[in-house]
Amino acid sequence: MSAIISLAIFAVAFFFIATEKVNKVKVVLIAAGAMLVLGLAPGADVFYSEHEGIDWNVIFLLLGMMIIVGIIKQTGVFDYLAIWAAKKSKGRPYRLMVMLMIITAVASPFLDNVTTIMLVAPVTIVVCERLDVPAQPYLIAEVLASNIGGAATLIGDPPNIIIGSRAGLTFNDFLIHMTPIVVVVFVAFVLLTRVLFRKSFRYNPDRVAEVMALQEKRAITDPALLVRCMVVLALVIVGFGLHSVVHVEPSIVALVGAGVMILVSRVEVSESLSEVEWPTLVFFVGLFVMVAGLVHTGVISTVGDWAVNAVGDNFFGAATSLLFGSAVLGAFFDNIPYAATMAPIVEGLVAQAPDPVTGQALWWSFALGADFGGNGTAVAASANVVAIGIAARAGHRISFWQFTKYGILVTILSSVMAWVYVYLRYFM
Amino acid sequence: MQARDIAVQLPTVTVHDPVAKAVRVMAMGGLPGLIVVDDKSRPRMVLPGTQVLRMAVPGAFQEDPALARTIDEAHADLFWQALGGLTVGDCLPRQQVAPVTVKLEATLLEVAALMARLRSPLVAVVDRTGELAGAITLGRLLTSLAMPDLDD
């Protein structure tokens, strides 16, 4: 009976999260509260069990990175880079798009996708308005590039953080297994944009002077601050990479990095904390409590047993289902709650794998599907929604279908390439 | 003295008015802020002058000071042209905030305390039905207070 109640609470909450009829933080808090009040998720486990409660590693990793990114934002480096790229492109549309995509894709593995888009989209709009070209294709290309690039590392995309923590996968594991295919997919995507957006490319040579008038050097008022921030960010990334040597959790590295960043930047503590997206952190906490309810009432183990029976010894079939299933579901639902719910089920499947390589292949299939699925529709990932919002406020409306028609194509391309990669690398 | 005694009639705008009109009304009238009313003449929001300016400055420049610095002088002088056809309603905060209002019979202490607490140099005065009856500006309030003369 308790399993049915917890499943019902979860299903109703998921419906409201997916349809965005109610603020999603409210939804998870009410659902998590219901799970706790009804005794479906024991309070002690919720707070203190690493795998059957709130995953504090995820929460504090996000918190630390939000503080770090919040300070980097103030350096003006993204405005500088985007305007520099626009000037270098001399107003040539495809060249400009490629440079903006590269900036976005290189930043998003280290900063979260939403922040990357919030930094790059406004300056992109300014550049497009100066060139008198439609901003929508450039913004869509940036979002797609950001979602692809974010898949490369442990910290680039929230599903990766959830998966890495649940599976015990390190930053280096992601670099070794995810980055190669992400690079290949990104290159293919860059080539594809030449065709995808060909009708939107318009070259206005008489408007180039307008772009050249932008003063990118004025974006960076404190070069010393920029250098200090970049050094700290580099040290944090090295810290992630040294996990197997020093055995310090990524969340600790991020928190220490955040502290050092506050110290060296001399930014007020209250100011740096105001950059933290507290609603997002609360959303994650509520989500983990909801999933804890499913775990404690046996729903997850029942689904896991069913999945194990369905898979049998066909683990390539399981990897295929995970990759394409996650891409399809990730395209229609927020991939964060999806990853949080599926992670314990995938963990059950991995436990049945004949060897560690096959087990890891399932995790990578899951991560690739969930990450690339974020490009599927206009609502599949937070970065998509944020970009569309920024565009609308600036008078460059992007409709659901305008985004989705490109997103679906890119999701299909990237998922198929990822599937071939998984087969060649782990099952051939 | 009560709010009714010092309230004055000030021009207002509706959510359907263009932002450009709102800025012009405030500038021409030398007002410290603006009262936005709904179709039934009830105050929907009372905006201090800086918040009216907030409507006129594109959000991207408010959120990213570095981006604002990159704009050259010639274009910077024309930032308000980016408003286009935006209306006051388009630019109001999504979260509903109760308008800064007092009743006709409110004392000057109540008015002053409200202005100080909400950092609003403008207060809408409403009648019993909630309709706008007038407005009190910070200047009007200060000149109405029985302040001791500095020379005394």
Side-chain angles (χ1 to χ4, degrees):
Chain A
M1 186 63 186
S2 59
I4 294 170
I5 296 172
S6 68
L7 192 58
I9 292 172
F10 187 86
V12 171
F14 214 99
F15 169 78
F16 282 111
I17 293 170
T19 55
E20 295 180 352
K21 284 183 184 296
V22 185
N23 181 294
K24 63 182 182 182
V25 178
K26 269 187 202 168
V27 173
V28 294
L29 283 180
I30 292 169
M35 292 273 193
L36 289 166
V37 169
L38 296 173
L40 303 170
D45 281 359
V46 160
F47 287 111
Y48 302 113
S49 170
E50 191 181 355
H51 278 275
E52 295 179 12
I54 299 166
D55 193 335
W56 294 110
N57 197 34
V58 170
I59 304 296
F60 284 106
L61 175 55
L62 284 167
L63 173 64
M65 290 309 294
M66 284 176 184
I67 293 173
I68 290 171
V69 170
I71 295 172
I72 290 175
K73 264 167 72 174
Q74 298 177 17
T75 63
V77 66
F78 280 87
D79 300 297
Y80 175 88
L81 286 175
I83 294 173
W84 172 82
K87 287 187 173 180
K88 285 285 169 198
S89 72
K90 294 192 171 23
R92 302 268 175 195
Y94 181 60
R95 203 181 294 175
L96 172 64
M97 184 179 277
V98 171
M99 292 178 92
L100 291 173
M101 283 191 297
I102 290 173
I103 291 170
T104 314
V106 170
S108 55
F110 305 107
L111 315 177
D112 71 282
N113 294 346
V114 171
T115 306
T116 309
I117 290 302
M118 283 175 72
L119 292 171
V120 177
V123 66
T124 301
I125 291 171
V126 168
V127 168
C128 289
E129 285 176 349
R130 290 280 172 112
L131 288 171
D132 193 25
V133 295
Q136 291 91 335
Y138 296 86
L139 294 172
I140 293 171
E142 283 172 356
V143 174
L144 299 176
S146 168
N147 286 331
I148 292 171
T153 66
L154 171 72
I155 55 169
D157 218 354
N160 288 9
I161 299 177
I162 294 169
I163 291 167
S165 184
R166 170 69 66 166
L169 297 168
T170 65
F171 187 82
N172 290 350
D173 289 331
F174 275 84
L175 277 185
I176 293 165
H177 294 272
M178 295 285 279
T179 306
I181 181 63
V182 167
V183 171
V184 174
V185 168
F186 179 68
V187 171
F189 168 63
V190 168
L191 297 174
L192 184 68
T193 53
R194 186 77 185 88
V195 183
L196 275 184
F197 298 109
R198 65 188 181 284
K199 288 180 185 165
S200 311
F201 291 141
R202 197 170 65 214
Y203 178 48
N204 298 329
D206 49 323
R207 301 287 299 220
V208 174
E210 300 273 300
V211 170
M212 300 314 267
L214 288 167
Q215 302 169 353
E216 75 276 17
K217 285 182 183 158
R218 291 193 68 217
I220 298 170
T221 51
D222 189 348
L225 170 69
L226 173 62
V227 171
R228 287 198 296 268
C229 288
M230 288 299 132
V231 169
V232 175
L233 180 63
L235 289 175
V236 167
I237 291 164
V238 170
F240 289 146
L242 290 176
H243 178 259
S244 54
V245 182
V246 294
H247 301 293
V248 177
E249 291 300 318
S251 52
I252 306 293
V253 173
L255 283 177
V256 172
V260 174
M261 191 70 102
I262 291 172
L263 276 179
V264 302
S265 66
R266 299 185 192 108
V267 170
E268 285 292 319
V269 175
S270 57
E271 195 184 337
S272 56
L273 289 182
S274 69
E275 292 289 339
V276 174
E277 294 161 41
W278 296 105
T280 303
L281 296 183
V282 175
F283 176 65
F284 269 83
V285 167
L287 207 55
F288 284 129
V289 177
M290 281 167 54
V291 175
L294 293 183
V295 171
H296 279 278
T297 52
V299 174
I300 294 289
S301 59
T302 304
V303 177
D305 290 345
W306 173 83
V308 168
N309 288 332
V311 166
D313 55 359
N314 182 6
F315 283 90
F316 178 61
T320 304
S321 305
L322 270 175
L323 202 156
F324 287 110
S326 300
V328 171
L329 290 171
F332 291 99
F333 303 110
D334 187 337
N335 55 11
I336 296 170
Y338 171 73
T341 313
M342 278 296 290
I345 296 171
V346 178
E347 192 176 30
L349 274 177
V350 170
Q352 303 299 319
D355 55 79
V357 174
T358 308
Q360 274 205 4
L362 298 182
W363 283 120
W364 302 129
S365 304
F366 177 37
L368 287 165
D371 291 344
F372 290 156
N375 273 336
T377 64
V379 296
S382 306
N384 313 5
V385 178
V386 166
I388 290 170
I390 292 173
R393 282 198 294 280
H396 299 267
R397 190 173 168 273
I398 299 173
S399 70
F400 180 89
W401 286 111
Q402 188 180 5
F403 183 98
T404 303
K405 70 181 178 189
Y406 298 113
I408 285 176
L409 264 175
V410 173
T411 300
I412 292 171
L413 171 84
S414 52
S415 300
V416 169
M417 289 178 75
W419 177 68
V420 172
Y421 169 77
V422 166
Y423 173 71
L424 293 176
R425 182 151 181 186
Y426 307 107
F427 291 99
M428 199 170 85
Chain B
M1 235 189 297
Q2 294 182 330
R4 71 169 81 240
D5 301 320
I6 64 167
V8 292
Q9 296 301 317
L10 294 180
T12 58
V13 293
T14 71
V15 288
H16 309 298
D17 286 324
V19 173
K21 180 190 170 187
V23 174
R24 203 164 48 241
V25 165
M26 201 179 80
M28 301 294 279
L31 305 176
L34 267 185
I35 299 172
V36 183
V37 293
D38 64 14
D39 297 334
K40 293 177 180 168
S41 290
R42 288 178 304 206
R44 162 93 184 272
M45 194 165 275
V46 177
L47 297 167
T50 49
Q51 296 307 300
V52 178
L53 193 60
R54 205 179 165 88
M55 291 197 291
V57 180
F61 295 125
Q62 293 178 45
E63 288 153 21
D64 185 359
L67 181 59
R69 286 196 296 271
T70 65
I71 305 300
D72 53 286
E73 194 178 335
H75 285 85
D77 290 347
L78 304 173
F79 74 86
W80 50 270
Q81 288 185 350
L83 289 173
L86 283 180
T87 65
V88 171
D90 295 331
C91 302
L92 288 180
R94 283 182 196 169
Q95 269 190 325
Q96 284 280 1
V97 182
V100 186
T101 59
V102 292
K103 298 254 174 68
L104 284 163
E105 57 274 22
T107 63
L108 298 199
L109 173 61
E110 282 178 71
V111 177
L114 187 68
M115 276 188 180
R117 183 162 55 85
L118 299 179
R119 298 176 185 174
S120 176
L122 183 66
V123 172
V125 182
V126 293
D127 62 17
R128 283 184 184 170
T129 62
E131 279 186 29
L132 184 70
I136 302 171
T137 64
L138 177 62
R140 177 78 175 153
L141 174 72
L142 292 177
T143 52
S144 305
L145 291 173
M147 302 274 270
D149 197 324
L150 282 175
D151 298 331
D152 290 346

